[in-house]
């Protein structure tokens, strides 16, 4: 593992108060691991204050039993994430793991591969803690636009290679039906696993605006046709934005996230299959998310040199906390429906018909 490990005492004494940029603005490895075993109570508040000031990614490690029963809460809240041995504790600041070394190594490797994206997602998550949903979506999109011109996303595009644009939808990309006071919206591009591409996005926004404009619609149910609810952004469209300023306005003013957030009290989203990127970022704004058994969630954007761009840094932390969100964003690991339910990312696991 390339990251240095420091003690909480060293953190309190200012060891993490160092620049993250090297010569020519190059990002030095920005991750520090903080050993949280046997931390003296007298240094916790001081270490927490230093953590809030630090520009480094700070990830705690804990092996000393039940972390919920310690006095570490102020420090855990100030770190970006903590891994502890054993099952997930009650605190959303901590991710439980059976293999602490492997979890830290996976996080460290992900940061080393995409340090710019890892740092930007940290900045965006911390900023989103302090503002409302609409402003948080704006902050996310500005960070996303910044990374679109960065070396990590350009490397991902080069590795992906050129691709043709996706073909036009063979049928309506979104189906809309009303029964009484309920509006049913179905994502309908199963041949592309309902990827959140331009055609589907625009049709979904149009359908959601029906509910926003019609107060007699008391309930909105969103689901997806085919093997998966939504496989995230259409990768064949990535890298084709005319410019990053226009892309920012399209993401924020032309995307579905704001609308789902405004309609949250009336919306239930029913998900299944593989829900990637936007396939959970947008549902997480709704007041109720029901997942079929076997549903898997993943947020791979940082591994592409980006950050979530459909509102995920606003929606997901509001459900599971910014610490577990950081774990999902940076590592791009899969989250099964059972753990998603335990964390609060979804509200029910059901046999969906």
């Amino acid at each position: 593992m390339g990251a240095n490990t420091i003690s909480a005492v060293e953190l309190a004494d200012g060891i993490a108060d160092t620049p993250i940029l090297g010569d020519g603005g190059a990002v030095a490895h920005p991750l520090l691991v903080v050993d949280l075993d046997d931390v003296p109570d007298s240094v916790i508040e001081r270490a927490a204050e230093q953590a809030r000031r630090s520009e480094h990614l700070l990830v705690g490690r804990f092996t000393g039993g039940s972390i919920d029963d310690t006095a570490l809460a102020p420090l855990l809240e100030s770190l970006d994430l903590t891994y502890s041995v054993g099952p997930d504790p009650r605190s959303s600041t901590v991710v439980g793991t059976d293999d602490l070394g492997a979890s830290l190594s996976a996080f460290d490797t992900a940061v080393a591969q995409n340090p710019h994206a890892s740092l930007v997602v940290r900045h965006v998550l911390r900023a989103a803690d302090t503002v409302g949903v609409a402003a948080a979506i704006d902050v996310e999109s500005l960070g996303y636009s910044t990374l679109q011109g960065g070396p990590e996303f350009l490397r991902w595009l080069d590795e992906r290679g050129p691709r043709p644009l996706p073909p036009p939808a063979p049928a309506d990309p979104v189906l809309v039906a009303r029964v009484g006071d309920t509006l049913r919206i179905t994502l309908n591009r199963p041949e592309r696993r309902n990827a959140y591409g331009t055609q589907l996005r625009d049709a979904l926004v149009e359908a959601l605006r029906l509910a926003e404009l019609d107060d007699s619609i008391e309930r909105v149910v969103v689901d997806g046709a085919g093997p998966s609810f939504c496989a995230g952004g259409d990768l064949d469209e990535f890298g084709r934005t005319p410019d990053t300023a226009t892309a920012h306005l399209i993401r924020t003013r032309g995307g579905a996230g704001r609308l789902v957030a405004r309609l949250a009290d009336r919306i239930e989203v029913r998900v299944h299959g593989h829900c990637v990127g936007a396939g959970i970022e947008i549902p997480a704004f709704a007041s109720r998310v029901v997942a079929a058994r076997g549903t898997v969630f993943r947020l791979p954007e940082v591994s592409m040199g980006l950050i979530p761009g459909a509102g995920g840094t606003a929606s997901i932390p509001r459900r599971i906390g910014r610490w577990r969100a950081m774990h999902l964003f940076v590592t791009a690991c899969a989250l099964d429906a059972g753990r998603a339910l335990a964390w609060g990312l979804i509200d029910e696991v059901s046999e969906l018909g």
Side-chain angles (χ1 to χ4, degrees):
M1 190 171 74
N4 291 325
T5 298
I6 62 174
S7 69
V9 172
E10 290 174 316
L11 176 60
D13 289 341
I15 197 171
D17 192 18
T18 55
I20 59 170
L21 297 180
D23 294 341
V27 178
H29 195 53
L31 175 63
L32 292 173
V33 175
V34 184
D35 187 346
L36 298 178
D37 291 337
D38 303 317
V39 177
D41 290 353
S42 59
V43 307
I44 290 175
E45 290 291 348
R46 194 154 50 91
E49 177 58 30
Q50 288 294 328
R52 286 190 288 270
R53 291 176 50 186
S54 178
E55 292 295 325
H56 290 267
L57 282 158
L58 298 172
V59 174
R61 64 180 303 276
F62 183 80
T63 65
S66 174
I67 199 167
D68 287 320
D69 298 330
T70 70
L72 290 169
L75 179 52
L76 298 177
E77 291 173 2
S78 298
L79 300 176
D80 294 299
L81 166 67
T82 293
Y83 291 105
S84 69
V85 175
D88 290 319
R90 294 188 303 274
S91 173
S92 64
T93 61
V94 181
V95 173
T97 176
D98 293 330
D99 190 332
L100 184 62
S103 294
L104 288 168
S105 179
F107 193 95
D108 178 62
T109 297
V111 171
Q113 288 174 344
N114 292 286
H116 293 93
S118 299
L119 284 168
V120 170
V121 81
R122 176 190 194 259
H123 302 157
V124 169
L125 282 171
R126 288 180 177 254
D129 254 359
T130 67
V131 297
V133 168
I137 291 172
D138 283 345
V139 170
E140 172 187 283
S141 182
L142 292 168
Y144 190 102
S145 284
T146 297
L147 291 167
Q148 282 182 307
E152 295 160 10
F153 179 55
L154 296 179
R155 181 189 69 214
W156 179 86
L157 285 175
D158 184 62
E159 291 172 353
R160 183 204 64 177
R163 291 191 183 182
L165 280 169
D172 291 338
V174 170
L175 303 178
V176 181
R178 180 168 179 173
V179 179
D181 60 7
T182 298
L183 186 70
R184 183 75 171 256
I185 299 173
T186 300
L187 310 185
N188 189 44
R189 291 211 69 179
E191 79 284 357
R192 299 194 73 78
R193 295 183 180 268
N194 298 320
Y196 188 66
T198 301
Q199 293 181 64
L200 187 142
R201 179 200 66 213
D202 292 348
L204 175 59
V205 166
E206 185 177 351
L208 291 168
R209 283 180 176 151
L210 292 175
E212 189 174 45
L213 294 170
D214 188 346
D215 291 339
S216 71
I217 297 173
E218 297 183 3
R219 185 167 178 257
V220 180
V221 177
V222 182
D223 61 8
S228 291
F229 169 73
C230 176
D234 196 318
L235 298 186
D236 290 351
E237 293 186 356
F238 277 52
R240 298 179 182 274
T241 179
D243 61 82
T244 55
T246 300
H248 163 67
L249 294 174
I250 291 172
R251 272 192 305 274
T252 56
R253 272 62 185 174
R258 281 173 177 253
L259 283 166
V260 175
R262 289 203 295 262
L263 293 165
D265 291 344
R266 288 191 269 164
I267 293 186
E268 176 181 301
V269 184
R270 300 175 180 176
V271 301
H272 68 283
H274 288 270
C275 299
V276 181
I280 183 55
E281 296 174 50
I282 293 169
F285 282 115
S287 62
R288 183 166 176 76
V289 181
V290 180
R293 296 190 187 281
T295 303
V296 176
F297 305 95
R298 199 163 68 85
L299 292 135
E301 292 91 343
V302 170
S303 69
M304 300 160 59
L306 297 169
I307 62 174
T313 62
S315 63
I316 290 173
R318 282 166 168 77
R319 280 183 164 266
I320 69 172
R322 68 170 171 83
W323 307 272
R324 287 174 175 171
M326 179 66 119
H327 164 69
L328 295 178
F329 295 159
V330 172
T331 66
C333 68
L335 185 72
D336 63 49
R339 201 175 195 188
L341 178 64
W343 283 8
L345 183 60
I346 59 175
D347 303 293
E348 181 184 345
V349 177
S350 175
E351 300 292 348
L352 295 175

